[in-house]
Amino acid sequence: MEPITIALYALFIGAALGSPALGRWVNARWPNPWEEHWARLATERGLRRWGDRVYGIIDGVPVVAEHEARVSLTSNSKEIFTVVRAQVLPHLDLGLSVCVKTAGLRVQEKLGLRAPDVLTGHAEFDEAFYVGGWEPERVRALVSPEIRQVLATIGRRGSLRIDDGFVHLEHHGRIEPIFTRWCLDTAVWAARALARAAPSVPPSPVTAPYLPAYDQAARALGLGWRATPASLGGMLEGVQVWAQLTRRNATSLGCDLYAACPEPLGLGLGLRSRRGTSAISLGSAEIELGDRGFDERFDVHALDAEAARRVLGPEERARIAYLSDRGGLVGDDFGLRLVMEGASDPRDLVQTLRSLRDLAAELSRRARGGAVGARGAYR
């Protein structure tokens, strides 16, 4: 088994973490005295800024930090939270749930309203944190000394939640800039620690039968692969790609495919097929491309509508429709993601990942007007 190297650029920050075009969280917009703080933070950390949100890559980890407005269930008034999210790449396949133990959570456990705590054998850690997952032995294998260290560092400095895909840190109200930086650095540390610990976790009995298929597909594409979580990735003809066997729940499987645009498109693009993708809020204006069949099947948003129409030409729309027949397709300025149900046959996986790669390369080429890698035949 060859080691997998996933040096993901700003891949799916929009789809996964929230961007102007593809954000899952709606922020209230009002005069913001914190603009200078966000602008300085973006400059210091090499991040992008949109309003009261900064997002980008820190040490290879996609991150977002923002002020998020929520409606209080008790007072029906808006409350502000400072929220930091760091993405775990590749996502884990444990059904992981980690949070600080509170009195309310202990009551839920006693009443059987929450799955039993997975005890790691480290008394101080087990007393402070709730850890859950589908397969307790695999969860225990994940909780390395480094992970215990980073969680102990976080302690009760804000609300902590970790799942298979993200490290979430949040604090009620706006917080001082120095604490925002601390939250960003600590969330990145936790995400990297989880990624480093994942290969030491044995494969799940649910995914183990499909590992030979991932080995076969990786060899066919010249990519690396790993068993936990089951994934393959690397550079495919100049484009960063990634495929992962995902677990929708304890027993059902899916497959997520990714291809990064070699250069961000700069369109403020938000694209999703209306079938097979979750509803998301789109911050930029919705546009129509003048192709009735395509416009009925896809939501397209862009800050630069004319440029988006130029980039999404007839052949590109045909490629998008072809891929959407195989699963739910979402895309933004940074790349494309295809969410498929079930575990793919390795032959289908190879062909579909190549098609996704070709489309990402062509969108980047058309947006920038330059040659990007090998275009490849339409499949």
Side-chain angles (χ1 to χ4, degrees):
M1 178 171 59
E2 295 296 323
I4 180 172
T5 301
I6 303 179
L8 295 173
Y9 180 56
L11 185 55
F12 309 116
I13 293 173
L17 294 173
S19 76
L22 283 173
R24 289 183 182 175
W25 308 279
V26 180
N27 290 281
R29 304 299 299 155
W30 53 69
N32 187 355
W34 289 75
E35 290 284 346
E36 184 179 347
H37 160 52
W38 293 115
R40 187 183 305 113
L41 183 62
T43 300
E44 289 175 356
R45 299 304 171 91
L47 303 174
R48 298 181 178 221
R49 182 175 72 90
W50 181 65
D52 52 2
R53 170 188 293 156
V54 294
Y55 61 99
I57 302 288
I58 296 178
D59 293 338
V61 176
V63 296
V64 64
E66 63 183 332
H67 285 152
E68 183 176 304
R70 302 174 186 170
V71 177
S72 170
L73 296 178
T74 55
S75 64
N76 201 34
S77 60
K78 289 178 180 176
E79 298 181 344
I80 298 297
F81 289 79
T82 301
V83 181
V84 172
R85 299 177 180 89
Q87 191 173 5
V88 182
L89 292 174
H91 288 189
L92 306 176
D93 63 350
L94 298 163
L96 186 65
S97 175
V98 179
C99 59
V100 175
K101 281 188 177 178
T102 62
L105 191 147
R106 296 176 195 274
V107 170
Q108 290 179 25
E109 267 195 284
K110 289 182 179 179
L111 295 177
L113 300 178
R114 179 179 284 269
D117 194 1
V118 176
L119 300 178
T120 66
H122 300 272
E124 187 174 347
F125 178 87
D126 291 338
E127 178 64 23
F129 296 96
Y130 168 84
V131 180
W134 293 317
E135 295 139 350
E137 289 304 320
R138 298 183 70 233
V139 174
R140 289 189 190 95
L142 177 78
V143 184
S144 65
E146 183 184 14
I147 289 174
R148 295 196 300 273
Q149 180 185 0
V150 68
L151 293 182
T153 300
I154 295 171
R156 296 181 180 275
R157 297 184 69 181
S159 176
L160 165 72
R161 180 166 56 88
I162 299 175
D163 55 35
D164 278 345
F166 298 92
V167 176
H168 310 252
L169 279 173
E170 65 178 53
H171 189 278
H172 189 192
R174 295 180 172 90
I175 60 177
E176 293 301 317
I178 191 170
F179 190 36
T180 309
R181 295 178 179 87
W182 180 88
C183 288
L184 268 173
D185 291 339
T186 306
V188 167
W189 177 21
R192 287 172 60 86
L194 290 164
R196 282 191 287 266
S200 66
V201 178
S204 167
V206 178
T207 61
Y210 301 94
L211 295 182
Y214 271 69
D215 182 16
Q216 182 179 342
R219 291 176 186 274
L221 293 167
L223 304 175
W225 76 284
R226 63 193 295 175
T228 303
S231 52
L232 58 88
M235 296 300 292
L236 180 59
E237 299 174 8
V239 174
Q240 180 72 52
V241 298
W242 176 26
Q244 179 175 356
L245 188 63
T246 58
R247 297 177 68 182
R248 311 305 190 202
N249 52 48
T251 57
S252 65
L253 296 175
C255 186
D256 286 7
L257 276 60
Y258 308 82
C261 294
E263 294 289 339
L265 305 182
L267 305 174
L269 181 68
L271 167 72
R272 78 172 182 99
S273 54
R274 293 177 178 174
R275 180 188 67 83
T277 58
S278 301
I280 47 181
S281 71
L282 297 160
S284 51
E286 183 171 6
I287 65 171
E288 292 187 349
L289 302 183
D291 179 335
R292 182 175 178 181
F294 187 91
D295 290 335
E296 288 177 349
R297 291 186 61 185
F298 298 92
D299 288 330
V300 181
H301 291 236
L303 297 175
D304 189 337
E306 289 306 313
R309 293 187 182 100
R310 184 177 66 252
V311 170
L312 298 175
E315 184 174 345
E316 290 64 48
R317 296 197 298 271
R319 291 179 178 221
I320 290 169
Y322 166 83
L323 288 165
S324 186
D325 288 339
R326 282 147 182 78
L329 182 67
V330 295
D332 62 10
D333 279 351
F334 302 105
L336 302 167
R337 177 188 181 199
L338 184 66
V339 181
M340 301 191 296
E341 295 297 326
S344 294
D345 180 282
R347 293 167 296 182
D348 292 338
L349 179 60
V350 167
Q351 177 179 332
T352 306
L353 191 57
R354 282 191 177 278
S355 297
L356 197 67
R357 176 261 167 224
D358 290 348
L359 177 59
E362 180 63 6
L363 293 180
S364 187
R365 187 191 72 81
R366 291 177 67 86
R368 297 302 177 193
V372 180
R375 175 167 179 168
Y378 177 69
R379 298 173 175 83

